[in-house]
Amino acid sequence: MNAAGRRSGWRPLLVVTAVLAAAGGAIGVMLQRGTPVRVLTRPGIGSAPASTQGGERMFVTRDSINLSARQLVMRSRGSVVIVHGLGEGDSLFARWNEALAASTQMNVIGLSLRGNGRSRGTEARDDPPEAYALDLAAAVQELKRRQPSGPVLFAVAYGGAGITAHYERVRAARELPAVDGIMVFDVAPDANARVPNGRPVTLYPQRLASLALLGKAGAPWFGHLEVAMQSGDGRELTTRWTHGHWHLASPALEPLLATHGTSRTPLLVLSPRERPAATAEAAQPTEVEWVRVVGTADPTLPTVQAAVSRWSAAYAADAFDPIPPRPTQTLDVLGRH
């Protein structure tokens, strides 16, 4: 082969190399963390004392993780499970359990997810996202096994919206037990909001957006990179959120509303905001009820309690002697048939 032929043979290789180098460089730029922003995701959760109302309840998972819960028992077959978000704790229930019990007349269970609050497990945010959905599904199945005629409702706010959206996606895909309804309290953080241990979260929005784009393009290989972090102190390690786990800590309602198109679980959304036009067009009125409240959607407020009472009345079951009859410790071993 002469010199001209050898040079022409190298040209396609050089072109491919240049294209790959450019693509790699572009991805490298996309994956830069970019300018960080301070994120105040949850208003004061963790600062309130643990509630003394109700009795202790323990759920034991198939992989022997003890999930701590506090149950406020009512004379009802129905159960309301308060769902918190990744990195949050069950002090959220200190003000909520009595208010929700009064407005729904159902048993209220504040369940701490694995690695969060008082529950055992690996360090929070280190478990695979599916683990939280499977734990919730097993708890729902156990509640329905104990009380077959009673409904099970979710009450969610803050990061619980992200966890619940993930639960609904996994549930629909894997045919896991469904809840009968979901109450969403759109409580926005205020200017003085703090994350559980008092330190703000640092978010890298450029990387977060880039990883979301790469995931949609079928390139999820960089999902282990951190998109947010919270610095530790002398007793605590730095907490880092990956792309998938950050969405389990997000208070955004949009992913949960989007999952409704396939799950069709009835939703009650209490929010100071207007209902997005897209959800109003896509869902039937009986599937999503959007109640606009003044100020905040805190479940302890009388206007919010009235809306919850009216909505949950459709799920009311006949009164009976509850399990347990007194607020003593209850043990549930999940995964039984």
Side-chain angles (χ1 to χ4, degrees), residues 138-223:
V140 171
Q141 185 177 42
E142 175 66 8
L143 291 172
K144 293 197 171 191
R145 186 192 71 82
R146 279 184 174 250
Q147 302 169 357
S149 62
V152 177
L153 308 178
F154 277 171
V156 306
Y158 312 112
I163 288 281
T164 305
H166 180 73
Y167 176 82
E168 287 291 274
R169 286 194 297 270
V170 173
R171 181 192 67 75
R174 301 182 61 166
E175 298 183 351
L176 298 176
V179 292
D180 297 275
I182 299 173
M183 297 176 285
V184 184
F185 300 91
D186 185 14
V187 185
D190 58 30
N192 297 316
R194 292 293 184 273
V195 288
N197 58 11
R199 292 186 296 274
V201 169
T202 300
L203 175 67
Y204 304 106
Q206 175 182 320
R207 178 177 287 177
L208 180 65
S210 298
L211 289 174
L213 181 63
L214 289 171
K216 291 180 179 178
W221 310 299
F222 307 100

Side-chain angles (χ1 to χ4, degrees), residues 106-131:
M106 296 182 186
N107 304 320
V108 178
I109 300 170
L111 174 66
S112 291
L113 299 172
R114 62 171 61 206
N116 294 264
R118 296 173 298 149
S119 290
R120 301 295 182 182
T122 58
E123 181 67 22
R125 281 80 79 186
D126 286 343
D127 285 295
E130 288 72 19

Side-chain angles (χ1 to χ4, degrees), residues 231-298:
S231 61
D233 54 28
R235 298 169 300 171
E236 188 176 87
L237 297 176
T238 298
T239 298
R240 304 178 188 277
W241 281 273
T242 62
H243 176 256
H245 282 75
W246 174 252
H247 291 289
L248 300 186
S250 173
L253 297 185
E254 288 74 13
L256 178 57
L257 296 174
T259 62
H260 184 267
T262 54
S263 69
R264 297 298 181 186
T265 303
L267 293 177
L268 170 67
V269 181
L270 298 113
S271 173
R273 297 181 286 178
E274 292 283 356
R275 177 176 178 172
T279 64
E281 296 172 357
Q284 298 295 322
T286 55
E287 294 174 342
V288 178
E289 181 176 346
W290 191 285
V291 177
R292 190 175 183 189
V293 296
V294 177
T296 181
D298 192 304

Side-chain angles (χ1 to χ4, degrees), residues 42-57:
R42 309 164 197 68
I45 296 177
S47 59
S51 174
T52 58
Q53 298 297 319
E56 296 295 325
R57 188 166 188 166

